[in-house]
Amino acid sequence: MTSYTVINPATEQPVRQIEHTTVEQTDAAIERAARAEESWRNVGPSDRGRLLRRFAEQVDAHSAELAALETAGSGHPVGAATWEAGQVRDVLMYYAAAPERLTGKQIPVPGGLDVTFHEPLGVVGLIVPWNFPMPILSWGLAPALAAGCTVVAKPAEMTPLTAIRIAELALEAGLPEGVFQVLPGKGSVVGQRLVDHPLVRKIVFTGSTEVGQQIMTGCARHIKRLTLELGGKSANIVFADADIEKAAATAPYAVFDNAGQDCCARSRILVEASVLDKFMELLEPAVKGVQVGDPAAAGTEMGPLISAAHRAHVASYVPGDAQVAFRGTAPDGPGFWYPPTVLAPVAADAPAYTDEIFGPVVTVTPFADEADAIAMANDTPYGLSGSIWTGNVGRAIRVARGVETGNLSVNSHSSVRYWTPFGGFKQSGLGRELGPDAVDAFTDVKNVFISTD
Ligand code: NDP
């Protein structure tokens, strides 16, 4: 059996060795999940809700422990990791109310009564990336359990620690065996088996567009239900009539949060040409002020990248002759550090402008007018997120409607709020997570006609 040693990205020291799950163990877990689903789907709505609330409380009681695990295993600043553990609690609590509200319809028809039921799909395979191990796990897990599905989750090979602990907390909270299992291992082994196994009725995948395409092809063989959350290259559009001070002060956090390893990163800043110089003057101290350092220290805003290989990948977008406008700081010594980096000017066909870098590198490009801004924002195969800064309400609405992306914020950079739907346009994804309708994505609608004759 092979294994993986989790490395602390801030120190390069080993944290824990985790054994890989084999194909045979994956099959056994899927079969356990299928057996557990036969009774989980029949747990009464109020009892299912109560168990999810207990699970949320258990996560809450262990949030400091979960945050410390994420800081050690993924390099997330402890403040961010604490928020992430809180997000798991909140998402579980939000969907704990769903079983009691999973209503169908009564549809007027001649000759009888017609009603619809939302039937749970069955076993759900959840494939989670390394960038936000806790929140992304919870976004699929909580609505799936609420719908009456059971879940087999595969965390990313590099970041399995919090998922493993959350599965233990589920059992401690009283969830029956087999309802939620975590299988650490490789995507090409465990992930692939979840896609191929006929008893897995739905895949929820977050990760790269390339792997998402392979998974979509695999799911087609079984007409398997699928939700995809993929990459992004989102625009932060700043108009001349905006609060430029606030736009510049907040822009670094919209892209350097989680060291830029965020599918919603606003990694292209588009600025109306008439205020470009002023914006750049204000952006420089904001970038240099980002607190980069020991993720275990309170007050740290940005930690290291996830691995040496990923740092090399990010650095490849900033070759020796790159136009670096200015940079923030990063510690010397061990750790996969990379400083916040602003590139300007940058050509429209430069890889740094077109590719998802997934690191703390942002480009700044001027635009001429509103139509130009919309065209530039849309000139990408992605469409996940974005921000619009303007003092003109009409323009905010026009541009929000014009930008082809799933999640936009005006005069702010909020993106993922568990109360609202989240997902991508174009090659950024398929389907939506979160929000009031997420549970529906884990059910099939059954229509029943009862004759009154
Ligand atoms: P991947 O898409 O390779 O990984 C995401 C998840 O899919 C991991 O759990 C991975 O497992 C699993 N996986 C990999 N191959 C398969 C497969 N054939 N079948 C089923 N599951 C599989 O992302 P990377 O980690 O390689 O990151 C590469 C790039 O993707 C990033 O630089 C970024 O641009 C983008 N990305 C976007 C994310 C987002 O949130 N939208 C998240 C992560 C990455 P394992 O890691 O164990 O092999």
Side-chain angles (χ1 to χ4, degrees), residues 351-398:
Y353 184 80
T354 57
D355 296 4
E356 179 176 46
I357 300 175
F358 228 56
V361 178
V362 69
T363 60
V364 184
T365 314
F367 65 83
D369 56 23
E370 199 177 301
D372 196 26
I374 294 173
M376 286 167 71
N378 289 341
D379 186 20
T380 167
Y382 295 115
L384 190 56
S385 186
S387 302
I388 302 159
W389 290 79
T390 175
N392 178 327
V393 173
R395 165 174 283 158
I397 295 167
R398 283 194 304 274

Short mmCIF file of all heavy atoms in Angstrom, two decimals, residues 351-398:
data_model
loop_
_atom_site.label_atom_id
_atom_site.label_comp_id
_atom_site.label_asym_id
_atom_site.label_seq_id
_atom_site.Cartn_x
_atom_site.Cartn_y
_atom_site.Cartn_z
N PRO A 351 0.46 34.86 -21.22
CA PRO A 351 -0.11 33.79 -20.36
C PRO A 351 -0.56 34.32 -19.00
O PRO A 351 -1.56 33.85 -18.45
CB PRO A 351 1.04 32.79 -20.24
CG PRO A 351 1.87 33.01 -21.47
CD PRO A 351 1.76 34.47 -21.80
N ALA A 352 0.15 35.31 -18.46
CA ALA A 352 -0.23 35.83 -17.14
C ALA A 352 -1.61 36.50 -17.20
O ALA A 352 -2.32 36.58 -16.19
CB ALA A 352 0.80 36.84 -16.64
N TYR A 353 -1.99 36.97 -18.38
CA TYR A 353 -3.30 37.63 -18.55
C TYR A 353 -4.40 36.63 -18.91
O TYR A 353 -5.57 36.85 -18.59
CB TYR A 353 -3.19 38.72 -19.63
CG TYR A 353 -4.45 39.53 -19.81
CD1 TYR A 353 -4.77 40.56 -18.94
CD2 TYR A 353 -5.34 39.24 -20.85
CE1 TYR A 353 -5.93 41.30 -19.09
CE2 TYR A 353 -6.51 39.97 -21.01
CZ TYR A 353 -6.80 40.99 -20.13
OH TYR A 353 -7.96 41.72 -20.29
N THR A 354 -4.01 35.52 -19.57
CA THR A 354 -5.05 34.60 -20.07
C THR A 354 -5.25 33.36 -19.19
O THR A 354 -6.34 32.81 -19.15
CB THR A 354 -4.69 34.10 -21.50
OG1 THR A 354 -3.39 33.47 -21.44
CG2 THR A 354 -4.66 35.24 -22.50
N ASP A 355 -4.20 32.91 -18.49
CA ASP A 355 -4.28 31.63 -17.77
C ASP A 355 -4.66 31.82 -16.30
O ASP A 355 -4.31 32.83 -15.69
CB ASP A 355 -2.92 30.91 -17.78
CG ASP A 355 -2.48 30.52 -19.18
OD1 ASP A 355 -3.18 30.88 -20.15
OD2 ASP A 355 -1.41 29.88 -19.29
N GLU A 356 -5.30 30.79 -15.73
CA GLU A 356 -5.52 30.80 -14.29
C GLU A 356 -4.18 30.46 -13.63
O GLU A 356 -3.69 29.33 -13.73
CB GLU A 356 -6.56 29.75 -13.89
CG GLU A 356 -6.79 29.73 -12.39
CD GLU A 356 -7.88 28.77 -11.95
OE1 GLU A 356 -7.90 27.62 -12.40
OE2 GLU A 356 -8.72 29.20 -11.14
N ILE A 357 -3.58 31.42 -12.95
CA ILE A 357 -2.25 31.21 -12.36
C ILE A 357 -2.38 30.48 -11.02
O ILE A 357 -1.57 29.65 -10.67
CB ILE A 357 -1.51 32.55 -12.19
CG1 ILE A 357 -1.35 33.24 -13.56
CG2 ILE A 357 -0.15 32.34 -11.52
CD1 ILE A 357 -0.75 34.63 -13.50
N PHE A 358 -3.42 30.77 -10.28
CA PHE A 358 -3.67 30.14 -8.97
C PHE A 358 -2.56 30.47 -7.98
O PHE A 358 -2.15 29.63 -7.17
CB PHE A 358 -3.83 28.62 -9.14
CG PHE A 358 -5.04 28.07 -8.43
CD1 PHE A 358 -6.30 28.55 -8.70
CD2 PHE A 358 -4.93 27.05 -7.49
CE1 PHE A 358 -7.42 28.04 -8.06
CE2 PHE A 358 -6.04 26.54 -6.84
CZ PHE A 358 -7.29 27.04 -7.13
N GLY A 359 -2.08 31.69 -8.06
CA GLY A 359 -1.05 32.17 -7.15
C GLY A 359 -1.18 33.67 -7.00
O GLY A 359 -2.05 34.29 -7.63
N PRO A 360 -0.31 34.29 -6.18
CA PRO A 360 -0.48 35.73 -5.88
C PRO A 360 0.10 36.65 -6.95
O PRO A 360 1.01 37.43 -6.69
CB PRO A 360 0.25 35.87 -4.54
CG PRO A 360 1.30 34.82 -4.57
CD PRO A 360 0.77 33.68 -5.38
N VAL A 361 -0.43 36.51 -8.16
CA VAL A 361 0.03 37.33 -9.28
C VAL A 361 -1.19 37.95 -9.93
O VAL A 361 -2.15 37.25 -10.26
CB VAL A 361 0.79 36.47 -10.32
CG1 VAL A 361 1.23 37.33 -11.50
CG2 VAL A 361 1.97 35.77 -9.68
N VAL A 362 -1.16 39.28 -10.10
CA VAL A 362 -2.31 39.97 -10.68
C VAL A 362 -1.82 40.90 -11.79
O VAL A 362 -0.71 41.42 -11.72
CB VAL A 362 -3.08 40.76 -9.59
CG1 VAL A 362 -2.29 41.94 -9.05
CG2 VAL A 362 -4.45 41.21 -10.07
N THR A 363 -2.65 41.05 -12.82
CA THR A 363 -2.32 42.00 -13.90
C THR A 363 -3.23 43.22 -13.78
O THR A 363 -4.38 43.09 -13.32
CB THR A 363 -2.54 41.35 -15.28
OG1 THR A 363 -3.92 40.97 -15.39
CG2 THR A 363 -1.66 40.12 -15.46
N VAL A 364 -2.72 44.39 -14.19
CA VAL A 364 -3.54 45.60 -14.23
C VAL A 364 -3.53 46.12 -15.67
O VAL A 364 -2.46 46.30 -16.25
CB VAL A 364 -3.02 46.69 -13.27
CG1 VAL A 364 -3.96 47.90 -13.28
CG2 VAL A 364 -2.88 46.15 -11.85
N THR A 365 -4.73 46.33 -16.22
CA THR A 365 -4.86 46.73 -17.62
C THR A 365 -5.89 47.85 -17.73
O THR A 365 -6.97 47.75 -17.13
CB THR A 365 -5.35 45.53 -18.48
OG1 THR A 365 -4.59 44.38 -18.14
CG2 THR A 365 -5.23 45.79 -19.96
N PRO A 366 -5.60 48.91 -18.50
CA PRO A 366 -6.59 49.98 -18.66
C PRO A 366 -7.67 49.63 -19.69
O PRO A 366 -7.42 48.85 -20.60
CB PRO A 366 -5.75 51.16 -19.16
CG PRO A 366 -4.56 50.54 -19.82
CD PRO A 366 -4.33 49.20 -19.18
N PHE A 367 -8.86 50.23 -19.49
CA PHE A 367 -9.91 50.12 -20.52
C PHE A 367 -10.43 51.52 -20.85
O PHE A 367 -10.25 52.46 -20.05
CB PHE A 367 -11.02 49.18 -20.10
CG PHE A 367 -11.82 49.63 -18.89
CD1 PHE A 367 -12.87 50.54 -19.03
CD2 PHE A 367 -11.54 49.13 -17.62
CE1 PHE A 367 -13.63 50.95 -17.92
CE2 PHE A 367 -12.28 49.54 -16.52
CZ PHE A 367 -13.31 50.45 -16.66
N ALA A 368 -11.08 51.63 -22.03
CA ALA A 368 -11.49 52.96 -22.51
C ALA A 368 -12.87 53.35 -21.99
O ALA A 368 -13.08 54.48 -21.54
CB ALA A 368 -11.48 52.97 -24.04
N ASP A 369 -13.84 52.44 -22.09
CA ASP A 369 -15.22 52.78 -21.71
C ASP A 369 -15.95 51.51 -21.26
O ASP A 369 -15.38 50.43 -21.21
CB ASP A 369 -15.94 53.46 -22.88
CG ASP A 369 -15.92 52.60 -24.13
OD1 ASP A 369 -15.76 51.36 -24.01
OD2 ASP A 369 -16.06 53.15 -25.24
N GLU A 370 -17.24 51.67 -20.96
CA GLU A 370 -18.03 50.56 -20.41
C GLU A 370 -18.06 49.34 -21.34
O GLU A 370 -17.86 48.21 -20.88
CB GLU A 370 -19.46 51.09 -20.18
CG GLU A 370 -20.27 50.27 -19.24
CD GLU A 370 -21.65 50.92 -19.02
OE1 GLU A 370 -21.72 52.08 -18.56
OE2 GLU A 370 -22.65 50.24 -19.31
N ALA A 371 -18.27 49.58 -22.63
CA ALA A 371 -18.35 48.47 -23.58
C ALA A 371 -17.01 47.74 -23.63
O ALA A 371 -16.95 46.49 -23.69
CB ALA A 371 -18.73 48.99 -24.97
N ASP A 372 -15.94 48.51 -23.59
CA ASP A 372 -14.59 47.94 -23.62
C ASP A 372 -14.36 47.07 -22.37
O ASP A 372 -13.82 45.95 -22.45
CB ASP A 372 -13.60 49.12 -23.64
CG ASP A 372 -12.20 48.71 -24.05
OD1 ASP A 372 -12.08 47.70 -24.77
OD2 ASP A 372 -11.24 49.40 -23.64
N ALA A 373 -14.80 47.57 -21.23
CA ALA A 373 -14.62 46.84 -19.97
C ALA A 373 -15.34 45.50 -20.02
O ALA A 373 -14.79 44.45 -19.63
CB ALA A 373 -15.12 47.67 -18.80
N ILE A 374 -16.58 45.51 -20.50
CA ILE A 374 -17.37 44.26 -20.57
C ILE A 374 -16.70 43.28 -21.54
O ILE A 374 -16.55 42.09 -21.24
CB ILE A 374 -18.82 44.55 -20.98
CG1 ILE A 374 -19.52 45.36 -19.88
CG2 ILE A 374 -19.59 43.26 -21.27
CD1 ILE A 374 -20.91 45.86 -20.25
N ALA A 375 -16.27 43.80 -22.70
CA ALA A 375 -15.64 42.93 -23.70
C ALA A 375 -14.37 42.31 -23.14
O ALA A 375 -14.11 41.10 -23.33
CB ALA A 375 -15.33 43.72 -24.97
N MET A 376 -13.57 43.10 -22.43
CA MET A 376 -12.32 42.56 -21.87
C MET A 376 -12.62 41.54 -20.76
O MET A 376 -11.97 40.49 -20.68
CB MET A 376 -11.46 43.71 -21.32
CG MET A 376 -10.82 44.53 -22.43
SD MET A 376 -10.13 46.09 -21.81
CE MET A 376 -8.72 45.52 -20.89
N ALA A 377 -13.59 41.84 -19.92
CA ALA A 377 -13.92 40.90 -18.84
C ALA A 377 -14.36 39.56 -19.42
O ALA A 377 -14.06 38.50 -18.88
CB ALA A 377 -15.01 41.48 -17.95
N ASN A 378 -15.08 39.62 -20.56
CA ASN A 378 -15.63 38.38 -21.16
C ASN A 378 -14.65 37.66 -22.06
O ASN A 378 -14.95 36.56 -22.54
CB ASN A 378 -16.90 38.72 -21.95
CG ASN A 378 -18.06 39.07 -21.03
OD1 ASN A 378 -18.03 38.72 -19.84
ND2 ASN A 378 -19.06 39.73 -21.57
N ASP A 379 -13.48 38.26 -22.31
CA ASP A 379 -12.53 37.66 -23.25
C ASP A 379 -11.72 36.56 -22.56
O ASP A 379 -10.50 36.65 -22.41
CB ASP A 379 -11.61 38.77 -23.81
CG ASP A 379 -10.70 38.25 -24.90
OD1 ASP A 379 -11.02 37.18 -25.47
OD2 ASP A 379 -9.66 38.88 -25.16
N THR A 380 -12.39 35.52 -22.12
CA THR A 380 -11.78 34.39 -21.43
C THR A 380 -12.74 33.21 -21.51
O THR A 380 -13.96 33.41 -21.54
CB THR A 380 -11.51 34.73 -19.93
OG1 THR A 380 -11.20 33.53 -19.23
CG2 THR A 380 -12.70 35.40 -19.26
N PRO A 381 -12.22 31.99 -21.57
CA PRO A 381 -13.15 30.84 -21.56
C PRO A 381 -13.83 30.64 -20.21
O PRO A 381 -14.76 29.87 -20.09
CB PRO A 381 -12.25 29.64 -21.89
CG PRO A 381 -10.84 30.11 -21.86
CD PRO A 381 -10.81 31.60 -21.75
N TYR A 382 -13.32 31.31 -19.17
CA TYR A 382 -13.87 31.15 -17.82
C TYR A 382 -15.00 32.14 -17.55
O TYR A 382 -15.16 33.13 -18.27
CB TYR A 382 -12.77 31.38 -16.78
CG TYR A 382 -11.65 30.37 -16.81
CD1 TYR A 382 -10.36 30.75 -17.15
CD2 TYR A 382 -11.89 29.04 -16.50
CE1 TYR A 382 -9.32 29.83 -17.16
CE2 TYR A 382 -10.85 28.11 -16.50
CZ TYR A 382 -9.57 28.51 -16.84
OH TYR A 382 -8.55 27.60 -16.85
N GLY A 383 -15.73 31.92 -16.48
CA GLY A 383 -16.79 32.85 -16.08
C GLY A 383 -17.29 32.52 -14.67
O GLY A 383 -18.43 32.12 -14.48
N LEU A 384 -16.40 32.70 -13.68
CA LEU A 384 -16.81 32.29 -12.34
C LEU A 384 -17.22 33.45 -11.45
O LEU A 384 -18.25 33.41 -10.79
CB LEU A 384 -15.68 31.49 -11.66
CG LEU A 384 -16.05 30.80 -10.36
CD1 LEU A 384 -17.25 29.88 -10.55
CD2 LEU A 384 -14.88 30.00 -9.80
N SER A 385 -16.38 34.50 -11.42
CA SER A 385 -16.59 35.52 -10.40
C SER A 385 -16.28 36.90 -10.99
O SER A 385 -16.09 37.04 -12.19
CB SER A 385 -15.67 35.18 -9.23
OG SER A 385 -15.92 36.04 -8.16
N GLY A 386 -16.21 37.90 -10.13
CA GLY A 386 -15.84 39.22 -10.61
C GLY A 386 -16.39 40.32 -9.71
O GLY A 386 -17.26 40.07 -8.87
N SER A 387 -15.82 41.52 -9.87
CA SER A 387 -16.26 42.67 -9.08
C SER A 387 -16.38 43.89 -9.99
O SER A 387 -15.66 44.00 -10.99
CB SER A 387 -15.24 43.00 -7.99
OG SER A 387 -15.04 41.88 -7.15
N ILE A 388 -17.29 44.77 -9.61
CA ILE A 388 -17.52 46.01 -10.37
C ILE A 388 -17.49 47.15 -9.38
O ILE A 388 -18.25 47.13 -8.39
CB ILE A 388 -18.90 45.96 -11.07
CG1 ILE A 388 -18.98 44.75 -12.02
CG2 ILE A 388 -19.19 47.27 -11.81
CD1 ILE A 388 -20.40 44.34 -12.36
N TRP A 389 -16.64 48.13 -9.62
CA TRP A 389 -16.55 49.31 -8.74
C TRP A 389 -17.02 50.52 -9.52
O TRP A 389 -16.41 50.93 -10.51
CB TRP A 389 -15.12 49.49 -8.24
CG TRP A 389 -14.74 48.41 -7.28
CD1 TRP A 389 -14.36 47.14 -7.59
CD2 TRP A 389 -14.78 48.50 -5.84
NE1 TRP A 389 -14.16 46.42 -6.43
CE2 TRP A 389 -14.40 47.23 -5.35
CE3 TRP A 389 -15.10 49.51 -4.93
CZ2 TRP A 389 -14.32 46.95 -3.98
CZ3 TRP A 389 -15.00 49.23 -3.58
CH2 TRP A 389 -14.63 47.97 -3.11
N THR A 390 -18.13 51.11 -9.08
CA THR A 390 -18.68 52.31 -9.71
C THR A 390 -19.62 52.99 -8.73
O THR A 390 -20.23 52.33 -7.89
CB THR A 390 -19.44 51.95 -11.01
OG1 THR A 390 -20.05 53.13 -11.53
CG2 THR A 390 -20.53 50.91 -10.80
N GLY A 391 -19.77 54.31 -8.89
CA GLY A 391 -20.74 55.05 -8.09
C GLY A 391 -22.08 55.20 -8.80
O GLY A 391 -22.99 55.83 -8.28
N ASN A 392 -22.19 54.63 -10.00
CA ASN A 392 -23.38 54.81 -10.84
C ASN A 392 -24.20 53.51 -10.82
O ASN A 392 -23.77 52.48 -11.35
CB ASN A 392 -22.87 55.13 -12.26
CG ASN A 392 -24.00 55.30 -13.25
OD1 ASN A 392 -25.03 54.66 -13.15
ND2 ASN A 392 -23.78 56.16 -14.23
N VAL A 393 -25.38 53.58 -10.21
CA VAL A 393 -26.20 52.36 -10.02
C VAL A 393 -26.59 51.74 -11.36
O VAL A 393 -26.53 50.52 -11.54
CB VAL A 393 -27.48 52.70 -9.21
CG1 VAL A 393 -28.42 51.49 -9.16
CG2 VAL A 393 -27.12 53.11 -7.81
N GLY A 394 -26.97 52.59 -12.30
CA GLY A 394 -27.38 52.07 -13.61
C GLY A 394 -26.24 51.32 -14.27
O GLY A 394 -26.42 50.23 -14.82
N ARG A 395 -25.04 51.90 -14.21
CA ARG A 395 -23.87 51.25 -14.81
C ARG A 395 -23.59 49.91 -14.10
O ARG A 395 -23.28 48.91 -14.74
CB ARG A 395 -22.67 52.18 -14.70
CG ARG A 395 -21.37 51.47 -14.97
CD ARG A 395 -20.21 52.44 -15.00
NE ARG A 395 -20.19 53.16 -16.25
CZ ARG A 395 -19.59 54.33 -16.44
NH1 ARG A 395 -19.02 54.93 -15.41
NH2 ARG A 395 -19.57 54.90 -17.60
N ALA A 396 -23.71 49.93 -12.78
CA ALA A 396 -23.45 48.69 -12.02
C ALA A 396 -24.36 47.57 -12.53
O ALA A 396 -23.92 46.43 -12.75
CB ALA A 396 -23.68 48.92 -10.53
N ILE A 397 -25.63 47.91 -12.75
CA ILE A 397 -26.58 46.88 -13.20
C ILE A 397 -26.28 46.47 -14.65
O ILE A 397 -26.25 45.29 -14.98
CB ILE A 397 -28.03 47.38 -13.04
CG1 ILE A 397 -28.32 47.57 -11.54
CG2 ILE A 397 -29.03 46.42 -13.66
CD1 ILE A 397 -29.58 48.33 -11.23
N ARG A 398 -26.02 47.47 -15.50
CA ARG A 398 -25.72 47.15 -16.91
C ARG A 398 -24.49 46.24 -17.02
O ARG A 398 -24.51 45.24 -17.74
CB ARG A 398 -25.45 48.45 -17.71
CG ARG A 398 -26.66 49.25 -18.08
CD ARG A 398 -26.33 50.30 -19.14
NE ARG A 398 -25.25 51.21 -18.76
CZ ARG A 398 -25.40 52.34 -18.05
NH1 ARG A 398 -26.60 52.70 -17.64
NH2 ARG A 398 -24.35 53.12 -17.78
#
